[in-house]
Amino acid sequence: MIGVGVLLKGTKSATSTNNQGQYALSVSGNDPILIISYLGYSTQEISIRNRTKIDIALEPNSENLDEVVVTGYQTQRKKDLTGAVSVVNMKDVANIPTGNIISTLQGRVPGVNVTNNGTPGGVGTGIGIRGVTTINNGTPLYVIDGVQTRDNIATLLNPNDVESIQILKDAASASIYGTQAANGVIIITTKKGKKDQLTVDFDAQLTTQSYHSGIKMLNAQQWGESYWTAYKNDGVKPNHDLYGNGDVPVIPEFIDQKKTIRSGDTDWADQVYKTAVLQSYNLTVAKGSKNGASAFSLNYFDQDGLVRYTNFTRINGRLNSDYNFLNNRLRIGQNLNLSKWNEKLKPAGIEELAIAQHPIIPVYDINGGYAGPTQGIGDKPNPVRLLDQIRDNRNQQWRIFGNMYLEAEPIKNLVLKTNYSINYRNGFGSSFEPKWREGDRSVDKNILNTASDYNQDWIWSNTANYTLIADKHNINVLAGIESKESINESLGAKRENFIIEALDYLYISAGDGAQTNAGIASRTATNSVFGKLNYAYNDRYLLSGTVRRDASSRFGKNNNAAVFPAVSAGWRVSEENFMKNQGLVSDLKIRASWGQNGNDLLDNEATYTKYSTNLNMGGYDIGGINRGTIPNGIIKDRTGNPNIKWEVTTQTNFGLDLAMLKSRMNLTVDYYVKKTDDMLIDRPYIGIIGEGGSMAYNGASLSNKGFEAILNWRDVIGKDFNYSVTLTATAYKNKVTAVPDDIYYTYGGGNGQDRTIVGQPLGSWLGFRTNGIYRTQEELNDGINKPGKGLGRIRYVDTNGDHLINDRDMEWLGSDQPKFIGGLNVALSYKAFDFSFFVNGMVRDAYNNSKFYTDFFQLWTGNHGTRLLEAWNPTTNFNSGIPALTAVNLNDEARTSEYFIENGSYLKLKNAQLGYTLPKAIADKVKLRNLRVYIQGQDLFTITNYTGADPEGLGYPYPLPRTFTFGFNFGF
Amino acid sequence: MKFSYIIFAVLIVFTSCKKDFLDSKPKGKLSDELLNSPDGIEALCISAYAALAGPEGSDGTFLSPTTNWVYGDVRAETAYKGGGGIGDISEFNQFETFTAVYASNALLDRKWFSLYRSVQRANSAIRRLNAVTEAEVPLKNTRLGEMRLLRAHFFFELSRLFNKIPYFDENVDIADYPKISNVEFTRDQILEKIAAELGAAAAALPAKQPEAGRATKYAAKAYQAKVNLYRAYKQNPDNTVSGVDQALLNAVVAQCDEVISNGGYDLLQDFQQLSMGEFDNSVESVFAVQYSIADGTDLGRINWSNLLNTPRGPAYGGDGFFQPSQNLVNSYKTDSKGVPIPETYNNSNLMTVADGLATNVDPRLDFSVGRLGIRWKNYTAAPYGQDWVREPATYGYYSNKKALVSPESPYMVKGFPWGGSSLNFHIIRFADVLLWKAEALIELNREAEALPLINRVRNRAKNSKYVTAFNSSNPTDYAAKYNIDTYKPGENCIWTNSYARTALRFERKLELALEGERFFDLVRWGNADQILNTEYFAKEKLLRTYLQNAKFTRGQDEYFPIPQPQINFSGGLYKQNPGYGAQ
């Protein structure tokens, strides 16, 4: 191995291995000892004992116990941690093409559920830590180089800048962030300059993305045949305005009476989605010296979406620097990220439209205008028109994100720090709706909308950190205060009637029609005090306590402060004497923690009763003048509740960290119980109160119990073959545990009578049980009274035994919350080649609402799925589970029922990568520090029984692309 | 290093002493105190009027329409839901077919809430009006009268939709709302209170208002007559009609008389004018919802209740809801002497242009219903055609024509919302007043006095300019064989009391078709069961397969169920209407 460090113990005499793995070092002294070290391998001490040639075999050590982990306002050695903290293995996710680093984590970090869709830039990515913590906003807190934010990090962080990600999952780890911590905390540090090095790195990626998920839909002829079958099944002679009234459906030449729209056979998904390109280029220059270090990076990221014209481009510039003075007793530093991004958003609902639009409609009419629906084939707009309309929309944002700090160490081990962070975002958007004509629908006026807004957050934190090491005692105390303020303000204008629809003409002042404007603002502020005490005895017994008090402008004076305490303890069993002298267990730690957190993602103004003038809802033409200026009316918006208080999440965690077989195997297991009480809900209220009765109050409770584990095995076979296998597992159970009496049966989807969400997972479906379909007359004679039942129809279950099917038969049918999330990462390397792949999967139920289109001809006159071709038929398809085609919905089959519920589990080959790194010997010759080229693919295949578009994103998601990437990194 | 201690201390002091740092008031919102000013009160009154058009504004009024097209016509024999198949707003399909109408139906809860929002807008204005002097608000009493009329209107709508309703005034403290039951007052008592409120409003209101949209003395009087007419038909606990109260009928006659003789109202000359924005606030308009266009709102305070109710096709591009039934179309047949044929009208179907030319037809048919091949208002490009319909296989080829303005009209929005217009919607028009009086007189066995009233209404229809055949320049080439005459006892009818009753009830169907009143008429008269099940569904389902399971259940379907969420919120204090399970 090349570059292994060899140091003569107790001296400064050192060398490293050459490109043949050889080394030479002159030694002297009494029993000299060599210290052999290499990153990622256990450091060894070898006694020389007069030998002149010493061959050394290194043992990999995936979990370096002295590794430092960034936690709240401080760093800790990993071996001292007593809470549940996951550290992301950045090597596994480096080079995955994405605008959002979080999007790569699904299945890789236990206890974390990442939801992805294909929205360019990764802005559609969401993350949930340990179940569903709250019915309110469940976004975790990001702390990037000490700057706290709840913003989507796709817009402020270049994935290439990320040095490390640690996820604080339990209350004890996160509680130093108090009211912001209930949803977990994700701490990200960015790359800094390294001491005494000047490095330049350049990375480039080119990725193609293709559309691969979707639902098979009928073509124009099949649609007509389905129509014929449906009407024949109903005993009615088929007759359709377009397909005629013959024995078989006939596609007409034109679908409109004016004969301007030729019948088509359009695959609308093909019109909406295209293969797209993603590119990313990154330059990092870092320099370190004795008195400081700096790193500068520049990134350009450009992702076209699968949906035509959608796009995300981002330019990021980052400068991180730090300087030290007075023998490192005074330190000054800053991290600054400037980003500018442009987003072109898809038209709302375009994914659903690609399924629902009728195939007989062509894209264009014979005059080149847009075609549209005519009679009997639905009334959805032409997706191509909608896409063309967004083409010139603008949505541009700037962000300044960063911090500066001053750190002093007046006496040894006492560090005082003041840190000021800022997160400023300014956005400008402009969208234009041109005049349009589509089939026989038209809009004869055009509208320009422009809007601008800014967000201005600052946080000022002041901390003192003192470490005392005395004998076997190691004490660390942290104390701090913090203030933060967030202000948001927006201004928008709208104008109608632009004579010329030329891009450069479309500015508000150029229009000459009606104009309206809008502006709104909001502000929130918090003051906090916090402290933390860590105590370790003899590296064996670990104890930690945290307390934070937050006072917020979101609550009334009487209730605006809350205190969040936490305690945790650890026992490093492997340090005990009885564990010495055995080769099996190299490290074993048992952990337990308890703590409370809050959630501050709540309405800024919930304590106030608010009224507003609202022309749209309260204006009235009292003078009967018909047009002009009408008087405005005042309506009540909300009722304030001055007594609301924080939501509180209480979490207990038990964990175990185990390293075995000389740290070849590492295992971390955690079990937790997390309860959220006093959740703020908007009170549904008795109707006679009228409008503005909505009032926030502390009402509901949730609980999550979960288990998570990560297992890693890492070894070397022979000299050159390294391999590593990582398995993660996540499981949790969520349920609602309390809801106020007056909404006990109403809240969360209850039936209002005798079915409550309490005891069920949040988001559970209340609906009818089904038992296949009626296939025989015998089955029909089951004595159940259900209007509309018949052969080929869904057989609803009479759950309460009254021989009637009505809303009293509805039961809880489950939820789509994951039951199990798993991941398997395998990384192999042989000499200069490396190969890795990652498989992830989920076990869960899914409510497939696209069955509305695919399975029920009677519910919708646009397109349907090819599943209809396999619908039940007494002679030709007796065993089919798809209800017979019908044109009338006598059986009311759109109702929420088990029929729509499917096994939504899946297994995906999420990522595979093959890389080649230029051997160091050659690299040195061409004066390169590093050169690696790679190809990789994402979302390569999926195993699932789900019949909707993609089990990873239920409903009508922005589809995830299948991607292939070519990329290289080089550094010197 | 003392320096850094000092900095640190300063920082602590600085961050903790900014006093109002944690005090953050809402931006761009009004607080309660600001509303007690005269301007604030006026704006509250305006918002109560705005509730006539639906308190939801443009966003959701179509799901709880204030024009009652769903509740009054789709539930009656006059119209289908229409639109994109029966699954398109399936709640309305459930109302139409009277199947699976559960207390959990979300659109019922929405309608209930919509009406109480409206009631409370009036209450909010009344409370603040009560607290000011006439010196501060010179029009205090007038505004109070207006607000009481509006509140009475909203309660009346609640009463005829839901029957068992919580009734209260502005004086009940919000803390006591949980104690308000929906069975504290019977239907009779509630209607009595509403009528009394309208009487008080009439006393406070001037005969004329400077602004056309405001309620007048005679609007209140007319409304009082209407409520008294409903009161006159007493109902048993199972919703059946137990008898007709003569004293109340006399009150109806008296109140209508006042409106007729002193209100200064008349019928418009031409029936078509009822569908023209140019005739908003005309001589026939007693009380109407004022809609406006290009008024500073995004899309106009147009009739959002009608959002779905325009035909698709070249002229409107709409969603095709609210389609007239075959039964309604057949009702417009007349005999050779120009009078309706209520016994036999439904024995055959009047469908095509040829059918219309082969039989005698009331001209109001082609003002109210779009029929294939017939001229559509002033639209010149083509007659009403197949491509104006959205789902003919389910709902046939008719479109509602009456509530729409001509596509050429300046009162119509261009583009979305398709065919939306500022055409006012009549809560009360003069023809209705005439027919109420006629109805009361007939029930008082004074049918002879009712005759001229009914004939006045028919005469206007007769004297309207009939719809002419498309592509014909000859104004006497009518689109159908129009033949209408007034009732002429001995000549074209025998004016007995029972004949008069049938004639009156039929006249209401013809004159007020698609104006959201029919179902309430049937329930008032107590013949919904017979009309819907026997006359309507039995025949109509042969044409419209989806009506196969439709069935009106007596003693239940006269009223909607009390929305289950409201029963829950009341902690069980609210009682359910008969037929819907738990009482």
Side-chain angles (χ1 to χ4, degrees), chain A residues 241 441 460 626-627 687 691 752 861, chain B residues 11 121 317 391-392 410 422 568:
Chain A
D241 278 274
R441 247 182 194 178
W460 191 8
N626 242 311
R627 60 180 72 219
E691 66 201 351
T861 45
Chain B
L11 297 178
R121 284 194 185 180
E391 299 294 341
S422 66
N568 298 337

Side-chain angles (χ1 to χ4, degrees), chain A residues 90 395 758:
Chain A
M90 292 308 296
N395 179 9
V758 173

Side-chain angles (χ1 to χ4, degrees), chain A residues 620-624, chain B residues 49 52 209-215 281 287-288 290:
Chain A
Y620 189 69
D621 179 22
I622 194 75
Chain B
Y49 271 106
L52 289 173
Q209 287 264 31
E211 288 164 304
R214 295 199 186 271
N281 300 313
F287 191 52
Q290 305 291 324

Side-chain angles (χ1 to χ4, degrees), chain B residues 86-400:
Chain B
I86 49 187
D88 196 0
I89 314 190
S90 56
E91 290 89 345
F92 289 173
N93 179 63
Q94 287 155 2
F95 299 163
E96 177 175 6
T97 54
F98 299 96
T99 51
V101 180
Y102 301 135
S104 54
N105 187 305
L107 293 191
L108 284 181
D109 195 39
R110 189 188 179 95
K111 181 65 183 170
W112 172 282
F113 181 52
S114 177
L115 283 166
Y116 276 104
R117 283 169 85 171
S118 307
V119 166
Q120 288 291 31
R121 284 194 185 180
N123 272 339
S124 175
I126 292 171
R127 255 195 311 276
R128 289 170 205 271
L129 279 165
N130 283 336
V132 293
T133 62
E134 267 184 272
E136 294 168 278
V137 179
L139 287 172
K140 173 183 170 176
N141 284 329
T142 306
R143 292 290 177 266
L144 272 173
E146 293 171 34
M147 293 301 109
R148 292 176 81 169
L149 177 137
L150 291 181
R151 184 172 62 183
H153 165 68
F154 300 130
F155 271 125
F156 179 66
E157 294 288 75
L158 279 162
S159 167
R160 60 183 187 163
L161 287 168
F162 295 101
N163 199 22
K164 287 183 182 156
I165 56 162
Y167 184 91
F168 55 96
D169 66 16
E170 75 281 1
N171 297 316
V172 181
D173 191 273
I174 192 161
D176 293 327
Y177 280 18
K179 296 179 206 154
I180 306 175
S181 150
N182 72 332
V183 289
E184 184 182 352
F185 304 111
T186 63
R187 169 184 178 270
D188 276 359
Q189 288 167 325
I190 286 168
L191 291 177
E192 185 182 347
K193 284 171 181 296
I194 294 171
E197 277 289 300
L198 289 163
L205 285 168
K208 281 256 183 308
Q209 287 264 31
E211 288 164 304
R214 295 199 186 271
T216 62
K217 176 187 288 293
Y218 295 106
K221 277 273 172 223
Y223 216 134
Q224 200 184 12
K226 180 177 188 176
V227 174
N228 281 331
L229 186 62
Y230 275 72
R231 280 175 74 194
Y233 295 84
K234 301 291 176 202
Q235 282 181 9
N236 293 317
D238 69 352
N239 308 337
T240 54
V241 174
S242 59
V244 190
D245 185 307
Q246 303 289 303
L248 284 169
L249 291 173
N250 282 318
V252 172
V253 173
Q255 283 147 1
C256 287
D257 274 341
E258 261 196 82
V259 177
I260 294 166
S261 15
N262 303 329
Y265 303 109
D266 199 353
L267 298 177
L268 279 165
Q269 287 182 348
D270 194 305
F271 196 78
Q272 180 61 60
Q273 291 165 345
L274 292 166
S275 305
M276 295 168 72
E278 291 83 349
F279 293 87
D280 277 357
N281 300 313
S282 70
V283 66
E284 187 163 348
S285 181
V286 179
F287 191 52
V289 186
Q290 305 291 324
Y291 294 111
S292 50
I293 187 172
D295 50 16
T297 62
D298 265 5
L299 295 161
R301 291 284 288 149
I302 53 159
N303 183 347
W304 285 97
S305 296
N306 252 348
L307 173 63
L308 305 172
N309 299 350
T310 47
R312 56 171 303 280
Y316 295 101
D319 295 292
F321 276 69
F322 194 19
Q323 294 186 261
S325 66
Q326 184 63 50
N327 180 294
L328 177 67
V329 172
N330 292 345
S331 307
Y332 285 100
K333 292 180 202 163
T334 55
D335 67 10
S336 59
K337 292 180 175 159
V339 295
I341 45 174
E343 305 302 324
T344 56
Y345 75 99
N346 212 20
N347 290 350
S348 65
N349 291 328
L350 192 176
M351 284 177 156
T352 61
V353 176
D355 290 347
L357 290 167
T359 183
N360 297 296
V361 176
D362 185 319
R364 284 173 291 190
L365 168 65
D366 292 323
F367 296 128
S368 307
V369 178
R371 290 196 297 137
L372 292 179
I374 306 286
R375 180 188 294 277
W376 181 274
K377 299 177 185 271
N378 296 334
Y379 191 71
T380 50
Y384 177 83
Q386 292 187 5
D387 54 349
W388 295 52
V389 193
R390 190 156 154 213
E391 299 294 341
T394 312
Y395 292 115
Y397 284 102
Y398 302 122
S399 283
N400 152 51

Side-chain angles (χ1 to χ4, degrees), chain A residues 227 231 236 241 257 326 373-376 378-379 408 410 414 417-418 436 440-443 458 460 462-463 481 483-485 494 496 516 520-523 525-527 551-553 557 560 605 608-612 615-624 626-628 630-635 637 684-691 742-743 746 751-753 787-788 805-807 861 888-890 892, chain B residues 1 4-5 8 11-12 14-15 21-27 29-32 35 40 43-44 46-47 49-50 52 55-58 86 94 102 104 113 116-117 120-121 128 166 168 174 177 180 211-214 280-281 288-298 301 312-314 317-319 386-387 389-393 397 410-411 415-416 418 422 545-546 548-549 564 566 568-570 574:
Chain A
Y227 185 96
Y231 275 84
V236 177
D241 278 274
Q257 293 189 324
L326 304 171
T374 53
Q375 63 270 42
D379 72 336
L414 172 65
K417 185 175 184 181
T418 180
W436 56 265
D440 47 28
R441 247 182 194 178
S442 64
V443 166
W458 59 258
W460 191 8
N462 296 291
T463 53
I481 58 170
S483 290
K484 58 176 200 167
E485 185 182 34
K494 175 179 158 174
E496 290 177 5
T516 50
I520 192 72
S522 99
R523 173 188 179 269
T526 318
N527 274 336
S552 163
S553 65
K557 290 242 158 53
N560 72 354
E605 300 167 354
Y608 295 94
T609 295
K610 298 190 280 190
Y611 293 82
S612 63
L615 205 55
N616 230 358
M617 289 163 79
Y620 189 69
D621 179 22
I622 194 75
N626 242 311
R627 60 180 72 219
I630 61 169
N632 210 336
I634 290 173
I635 57 174
D637 297 330
Y685 56 93
I686 193 160
I688 57 172
I689 287 174
E691 66 201 351
D742 57 337
I743 52 170
T746 321
N751 69 346
Q753 298 174 20
I805 303 292
N806 59 23
D807 59 350
T861 45
V888 285
N889 189 26
L890 298 178
D892 191 15
Chain B
M1 278 296 112
S4 46
Y5 287 117
F8 202 63
L11 297 178
I12 291 175
F14 185 72
T15 46
F21 185 68
L22 294 182
D23 192 6
S24 205
K25 292 229 157 48
K27 318 286 177 222
K29 298 286 175 185
L30 294 164
S31 67
D32 209 59
L35 304 186
L44 288 170
I46 292 294
S47 77
Y49 271 106
L52 289 173
E56 298 90 349
S58 53
I86 49 187
Q94 287 155 2
Y102 301 135
S104 54
F113 181 52
Y116 276 104
R117 283 169 85 171
Q120 288 291 31
R121 284 194 185 180
R128 289 170 205 271
F168 55 96
I174 192 161
Y177 280 18
I180 306 175
E211 288 164 304
R214 295 199 186 271
D280 277 357
N281 300 313
V289 186
Q290 305 291 324
Y291 294 111
S292 50
I293 187 172
D295 50 16
T297 62
D298 265 5
R301 291 284 288 149
R312 56 171 303 280
D319 295 292
Q386 292 187 5
D387 54 349
V389 193
R390 190 156 154 213
E391 299 294 341
Y397 284 102
Y411 296 85
F416 181 83
W418 323 109
S422 66
T545 326
Y546 77 93
Q548 271 174 29
N549 291 337
Q564 190 61 40
Q566 304 305 329
N568 298 337
F569 284 126
S570 78
Y574 292 2

